[in-house]
Amino acid sequence: MAKDILLEIKNLVTEFRTEDETVKAVNNISFTLSRGETVGIVGESGSGKSVTSLSVMRLIPNPPGKITGGEIIYHSKKRGPIDLAKLSEKEMRTLRGNEIAMIFQEPMTSLNPVYTCGDQVMEAILLHQKCSKKEAKERTIQLFRIVQLPRPENIFDSYPHQISGGQKQRVMIAMAMSCNPSILIADEPTTALDVTVQATILDLMLKLQREHDMGILFITHDLGVIAELADKVVVMYKGKIVEQGTVLEIFSNPQHPYTKGLLACRPPLNKRLQWLPTVSDFMNTSETGEMVESTQSVAEVTNRLVVTGEQRSAAHKLLYAKAPILEIKNLKTYFPINKGIFGKAKDFVRAVDDVSFAVYPGETLGLVGESGCGKTTLGRTVLRLIEPTSGDVIFQGKNITKISNTEMRELRKDIQIIFQDPYSSLNPRITIGQAIMEPMQVHGILENDKARKERVIELLHRVNMNESHFYRYPHEFSGGQRQRICIARALALKPKFIICDESVSALDVSVQAQVLNLLNELKREFDFTYIFISHDLSVVKFMSDRMVVMNKGKVEEMGDADSIYNNPQTEYTKNLIGAIPKGQLEDIQASIDRKLQYTATL
């Protein structure tokens, strides 16, 4: 039996006007969402998927944005069909948060830092429900229990900065669910979360959907997540829908080259590739601006790139015959907590707790684990951006825990770091040309600024950017471009060793594939050694020769990346691997069967 339609989007057009031009961010799109159904909207940054959700919520800033065409028909239980595009702001406010709720991508910017988490959820309840403050508080704590927040009473009184990213996202879900909405819009709600936290939040959303028969619009660039969650998929590219269908149709037989490209960009878990295919392998633009489509399937493209076990063994035989470039011995980094009256620490957070391993020249060593496992602290301790409590870090035979700050500053030419957030690691007041030149000036590399500028332009070309970018500021670039700038800056000092700390976690799959390919290309060209830190096991498996799994400051297990993935030895690693959204057809079918079984029991 067909489900009731909740939302009909018909020929929707949303434009943004600037002094120079009018951009159609959403260009004549149509699709439906039914009760109890999850529609996944996928596409890269700039495809129009977030603008679509903001149009439904009527949160497009005007000016410069405006809905200029089409209808957004919401079938309300109480009021019947309503065209949201024609409602006044006052009327829209009665629906927003009450019947149609939204979970935003970045919970830290969506939560007010000066109010406690409990007060913010209570505010939503008091605004839309007829109840007392006491009842609203009880309902909030109950919601915190439903979204599986630990110690709900404590979280009620906590401020957003006092809880983790996964916990903040759960608070946002509790707020969105506080009025039992008919439609829940989730805009990239799990992008920056660990796979285990992500899996918990996705399960939670499905559980709440079943209980309340909600329609969910789930917006993401991660097709693995869509495979496990969605019933129907809408693929967007440059403001238009290029393909839509059931999740099984899209994954088993994608028709549009852009969809094929998105599917191929994800690092596969069942084979190892030389490099990742990108969208451009499936579609190109002709000189007239028309899209030229490739007839190749995803399997045809990826099968040509497979690295065999024999090829890998031969490369590793040469790699591990060398002496290590870095040795970490019994390294500990503790942070004091609960200081007494005289400032003496009563206890410590053991962020890195007796860790030992070696890294070989030309190797990529993957460092994985959940948030709080100590992987980032370990990376920063190696660079002495955080001082170790005890232990040794030996780089090219020199114990860098024992050298002076002056010697360490000199050594940083050879060991560089690419941080997780490229925007916060670039100075917004200086051009990117100056940002790349600055470390060269500090270390006296090349004789003058003219030579340095030429070197910077060379580096920009090397990371697929051009000379005109030299004079622009960080805010003028996309996330992927900013990450390339940070890579260029790390390369400016010709380092031997680079630590990549979650350097692709917030990027679209297609941009992520380009950046990962670039890092591997540069490694081959300049013979770099990497420590690659990430919570995304599929990315680490693709990049790494060996993998170190960390848990609560300690090494859980270590070994060949493929061996650990195929045969994990500890329960913790098994859980990490089990939580990865795989997007395989058998998993999609199993997910569909589970939903049908559940529906049959209702």
Side-chain angles (χ1 to χ4, degrees):
M1 192 179 79
K3 286 265 189 178
D4 298 340
I5 288 179
L6 266 176
L7 187 71
E8 291 177 272
I9 291 179
K10 299 178 180 178
N11 310 112
L12 180 66
V13 180
T14 304
E15 296 180 347
F16 287 86
R17 291 194 175 95
T18 65
E19 288 178 11
D20 305 321
E21 61 178 338
T22 297
V23 177
K24 287 187 177 179
V26 170
N27 190 357
N28 197 27
I29 68 165
S30 301
F31 66 89
T32 62
L33 170 71
S34 296
R35 202 172 291 284
E37 182 181 50
T38 301
V39 173
I41 305 181
V42 296
E44 300 166 285
S45 292
S47 64
K49 56 189 191 299
S50 288
V51 176
T52 301
S53 67
L54 292 171
S55 299
V56 172
M57 292 292 285
R58 289 281 306 281
L59 290 173
I60 298 291
N62 183 12
K66 194 178 181 185
I67 297 170
T68 58
E71 298 172 294
I72 305 167
I73 309 294
Y74 164 56
H75 294 265
S76 170
K77 268 187 178 177
K78 299 170 188 172
R79 298 164 56 183
I82 309 164
D83 187 354
L84 301 180
K86 292 185 170 61
L87 286 189
S88 68
E89 177 55 28
K90 188 180 177 183
E91 289 174 304
M92 193 63 212
R93 240 190 329 259
T94 63
L95 293 175
R96 198 187 289 134
N98 187 16
E99 293 188 46
I100 307 171
M102 186 162 180
I103 305 165
F104 293 93
Q105 179 172 358
E106 181 39 72
M108 194 65 214
T109 55
S110 310
L111 291 169
N112 191 324
V114 300
Y115 290 101
T116 66
C117 296
D119 281 341
Q120 294 184 61
V121 178
M122 265 179 69
E123 183 186 22
I125 294 168
L126 290 167
L127 187 66
H128 295 292
Q129 308 278 311
K130 290 178 182 175
C131 64
S132 66
K133 277 194 172 182
K134 187 186 175 190
E135 287 169 330
K137 182 174 181 178
E138 285 169 3
R139 169 78 175 136
T140 301
I141 291 170
Q142 183 193 4
L143 281 163
F144 284 176
R145 284 198 187 94
I146 290 168
V147 298
Q148 296 165 22
L149 277 165
R151 306 178 312 281
E153 289 81 3
N154 291 6
I155 300 269
F156 185 94
D157 294 319
S158 299
Y159 289 89
H161 71 273
Q162 294 175 306
I163 60 177
S164 73
Q167 288 172 340
K168 281 195 278 280
Q169 199 59 283
R170 290 175 203 217
V171 170
M172 288 296 298
I173 292 173
M175 194 187 297
M177 295 305 302
S178 62
C179 299
N180 295 333
S182 296
I183 298 174
L184 178 66
I185 301 172
D187 186 3
E188 301 271 16
T190 59
T191 300
L193 302 180
D194 297 336
V195 282
T196 46
V197 177
Q198 173 179 278
T200 308
I201 282 177
L202 295 180
D203 283 346
L204 172 66
M205 287 176 70
L206 284 173
K207 181 173 175 281
L208 293 170
Q209 180 184 38
R210 287 167 189 153
E211 286 171 7
H212 301 287
D213 209 20
M214 273 188 314
I216 296 179
L217 268 187
F218 196 95
I219 294 157
T220 184
H221 60 254
D222 188 338
L223 279 142
V225 170
I226 284 293
E228 299 203 355
L229 192 74
D231 301 296
K232 199 163 74 183
V233 182
V234 172
V235 183
M236 289 189 71
Y237 176 67
K238 293 187 176 176
K240 294 187 174 181
I241 292 175
V242 293
E243 186 167 0
Q244 61 177 304
T246 68
V247 66
L248 203 56
E249 286 167 355
I250 297 292
F251 275 77
S252 61
N253 189 23
Q255 297 301 304
H256 196 277
Y258 181 68
T259 314
K260 292 177 187 177
L262 284 181
L263 286 166
C265 288
R266 294 181 305 123
L269 291 161
N270 56 351
K271 50 191 165 189
R272 182 171 280 272
L273 305 183
Q274 295 163 31
W275 68 85
L276 291 172
T278 59
V279 170
S280 60
D281 289 311
F282 295 89
M283 58 189 286
N284 295 300
T285 308
S286 68
E287 289 175 14
T288 58
E290 291 297 311
M291 202 184 291
V292 180
E293 302 185 2
S294 163
T295 55
Q296 300 177 99
S297 70
V298 173
E300 283 171 335
V301 172
T302 54
N303 287 343
R304 287 202 303 270
L305 302 173
V306 170
V307 178
T308 65
E310 291 76 22
Q311 288 170 317
R312 209 157 168 267
S313 296
H316 281 180
K317 204 170 182 180
L318 295 170
L319 184 66
Y320 298 120
K322 304 169 190 172
I325 188 171
L326 179 81
E327 291 178 273
I328 291 169
K329 296 180 177 177
N330 309 109
L331 192 66
K332 295 179 182 177
T333 306
Y334 292 176
F335 298 111
I337 51 171
N338 300 333
K339 288 189 175 179
I341 298 169
F342 301 108
K344 191 175 179 182
K346 293 180 182 176
D347 201 358
F348 294 89
V349 172
R350 291 166 169 75
V352 177
D353 195 8
D354 200 21
V355 168
S356 302
F357 59 81
V359 190
Y360 293 81
E363 179 181 30
T364 298
L365 182 85
L367 206 54
V368 295
E370 298 170 291
S371 292
C373 71
K375 55 191 189 294
T376 292
T377 303
L378 176 60
R380 294 184 181 206
T381 304
V382 167
L383 277 165
R384 286 228 353 235
L385 296 173
I386 297 171
E387 290 296 334
T389 305
S390 66
D392 300 314
V393 178
I394 298 159
F395 179 72
Q396 292 188 315
K398 182 182 281 189
N399 190 344
I400 63 179
T401 62
K402 304 283 193 287
I403 63 178
S404 68
N405 287 339
T406 309
E407 287 176 288
M408 189 64 218
R409 202 173 296 121
E410 187 60 31
L411 192 66
R412 285 209 178 102
K413 281 206 305 277
D414 295 328
I415 312 177
Q416 284 290 298
I417 186 165
I418 302 167
F419 293 100
Q420 177 172 0
D421 182 359
Y423 195 71
S424 61
S425 53
L426 290 168
N427 187 333
R429 296 182 180 184
I430 63 173
T431 64
I432 62 130
Q434 290 171 292
I436 299 169
M437 267 173 69
E438 191 177 42
M440 297 166 77
Q441 291 165 334
V442 168
H443 289 282
I445 290 171
L446 301 177
E447 59 275 13
N448 56 43
D449 278 353
K450 187 186 174 194
R452 290 181 193 119
K453 183 180 174 182
E454 286 171 8
R455 170 77 178 138
V456 170
I457 289 165
E458 269 177 48
L459 287 168
L460 286 173
H461 285 302
R462 193 64 208 78
V463 297
N464 304 327
M465 297 185 75
N466 60 52
E467 192 174 334
S468 67
H469 293 146
F470 184 96
Y471 304 99
R472 294 190 192 172
Y473 290 85
H475 73 270
E476 297 179 73
F477 296 95
S478 70
Q481 287 173 318
R482 282 198 288 265
Q483 200 57 281
R484 288 162 196 262
I485 292 160
C486 289
I487 292 169
R489 186 174 60 178
L491 299 181
L493 299 176
K494 297 186 176 175
K496 298 183 178 77
F497 196 100
I498 297 177
I499 296 171
C500 302
D501 185 9
E502 298 275 14
S503 51
V504 295
S505 64
L507 302 180
D508 291 339
V509 279
S510 54
V511 178
Q512 176 180 280
Q514 291 165 19
V515 172
L516 294 175
N517 287 342
L518 173 65
L519 288 169
N520 276 336
E521 213 176 292
L522 294 168
K523 176 182 158 180
R524 285 190 289 270
E525 193 175 322
F526 298 104
D527 201 27
F528 289 139
T529 305
Y530 291 130
I531 285 182
F532 196 91
I533 300 169
S534 180
H535 62 254
D536 187 335
L537 262 89
S538 57
V539 167
V540 170
K541 180 181 174 292
F542 166 71
M543 289 294 288
S544 307
D545 297 291
R546 284 185 305 143
M547 196 190 287
V548 173
V549 181
M550 285 189 72
N551 180 22
K552 294 178 183 172
K554 292 183 179 290
V555 173
E556 189 79 16
E557 67 180 291
M558 180 182 353
D560 178 78
D562 286 7
S563 301
I564 285 182
Y565 179 77
N566 294 323
N567 188 23
Q569 298 300 302
T570 70
E571 204 57 42
Y572 178 77
T573 313
K574 285 175 187 171
N575 290 338
L576 271 185
I577 291 167
I580 303 170
K582 297 171 181 65
Q584 303 295 331
L585 293 180
E586 56 269 26
D587 297 327
I588 296 168
Q589 189 59 60
S591 177
I592 292 166
D593 293 342
R594 276 197 305 275
K595 285 177 187 173
L596 288 171
Q597 259 181 335
Y598 180 81
T599 308
T601 61
L602 292 176

